[in-house]
Amino acid sequence: MTAGAAVAVVRLADCAVVPWRNGGGTTRELARRDGADGFVWRLSVADVEHDGPFSEFPGVDRILILL
């Protein structure tokens, strides 16, 4: 961390629950950096409710980590 950098506490309970496009779960967005063409990156936590295909996000690379 650089000198003067701010740290923010984000509580999961305070994040909006957004349903997935495919209906298989929900996402809570913790942090996001927007660019001219949409988000550059985002950090989110998902709850998977049932199996199903991934929603399409053309041009987006995903890194998935089990919490």
Side-chain angles (χ1 to χ4, degrees):
M1 187 178 310
T2 60
V7 175
V9 174
V10 178
R11 298 193 191 322
L12 191 60
D14 295 336
C15 298
V17 178
V18 179
W20 291 356
R21 293 178 191 178
N22 69 4
T26 58
T27 297
R28 294 174 191 233
E29 194 170 89
L30 304 174
R32 177 183 179 129
R33 174 64 53 103
D34 287 320
D37 296 325
F39 67 85
V40 175
W41 61 263
R42 77 176 189 167
L43 176 64
S44 61
V45 175
D47 289 313
V48 180
E49 295 174 15
H50 56 79
D51 290 349
F54 266 18
S55 296
E56 295 289 327
F57 288 94
V60 174
D61 294 327
R62 294 177 171 173
I63 299 171
L64 304 175
I65 300 171
L66 183 62
L67 299 177

